[in-house]
Amino acid sequence: TNGIQYLIDFIYGTAGTVNGFDDFGHFQRANIQITACTILQAEVLKTLASPRRLEILHVLARGPIEVGRLAEAIGATQPNVSQHLAMLRAAGIVEAERDGREVRYRLADPDVMTACGIMRGVLERRLRRLADLWTPSDVATESAATRQPVTTSA
């Protein structure tokens, strides 16, 4: 295969697969490596595992902004925001664009906010399921079971 095909195969994991037939004549394909795409995904998700970075992304979703204004918008120091932006840039999530002396940051791909929205939906549904497990009758029963008898002196 040519170089481009090899790169595609490597990214999607087909370069590290073994194909063959099992004892019953069924075609089998077994991945023998974690794909490069999976590794990249894990790195990006690790970068997004910070509430402050998610907060920065939500501000950047409104449009490009300078570090100072971004820091002010989220109530953080400029050095702290710069550190977070450096990590987001290294992961390819944000990009910097120079405008004279100012550097403005923007999302490299707006679909990152779509991914964040999907994950938020997953978490909200999970919280609703957990809340449904604790119905008011369960709470009342639990409270009644843990109450101590009240004694009054005559």
Side-chain angles (χ1 to χ4, degrees), residues 19-82:
N19 297 322
F21 292 90
D22 65 12
D23 293 338
F24 303 102
H26 299 114
F27 184 73
Q28 297 293 310
R29 178 178 175 182
N31 283 325
I32 57 173
Q33 69 180 20
I34 295 176
T35 66
C37 194
T38 302
I39 293 167
L40 290 172
Q41 182 181 20
E43 289 299 318
V44 167
L45 292 173
K46 202 181 329 178
T47 302
L48 294 177
S50 161
R52 181 64 83 188
R53 287 187 211 117
L54 291 172
E55 189 177 20
I56 289 170
L57 291 182
H58 284 281
V59 173
L60 291 175
R62 296 184 218 143
I65 190 171
E66 299 84 10
V67 178
R69 289 184 54 218
L70 177 58
E72 187 178 307
I74 65 172
T77 65
Q78 187 169 335
N80 182 259
V81 171
S82 292

Side-chain angles (χ1 to χ4, degrees), residues 28-153:
Q28 297 293 310
R29 178 178 175 182
N31 283 325
I32 57 173
Q33 69 180 20
I34 295 176
T35 66
C37 194
T38 302
I39 293 167
L40 290 172
Q41 182 181 20
E43 289 299 318
V44 167
L45 292 173
K46 202 181 329 178
T47 302
L48 294 177
S50 161
R52 181 64 83 188
R53 287 187 211 117
L54 291 172
E55 189 177 20
I56 289 170
L57 291 182
H58 284 281
V59 173
L60 291 175
R62 296 184 218 143
I65 190 171
E66 299 84 10
V67 178
R69 289 184 54 218
L70 177 58
E72 187 178 307
I74 65 172
T77 65
Q78 187 169 335
N80 182 259
V81 171
S82 292
Q83 289 176 340
H84 285 295
L85 287 168
M87 294 186 79
L88 291 165
R89 279 184 73 188
I93 299 168
V94 301
E95 295 174 342
E97 53 188 35
R98 185 167 290 283
D99 183 20
R101 290 185 348 173
E102 291 290 328
V103 177
R104 301 178 82 182
Y105 289 86
R106 65 181 177 82
L107 295 175
D109 186 338
D111 277 347
V112 74
M113 297 312 297
T114 303
C116 287
I118 290 169
M119 191 66 226
R120 184 177 293 258
V122 168
L123 295 172
E124 287 172 354
R125 288 187 297 278
R126 179 175 179 224
L127 289 173
R128 276 196 292 278
R129 284 192 306 272
L130 289 173
D132 289 346
L133 294 175
W134 289 92
T135 62
S137 62
D138 291 340
V139 174
T141 303
E142 183 178 307
S143 296
T146 58
R147 282 193 206 128
Q148 297 296 319
V150 178
T151 57
T152 57
S153 54

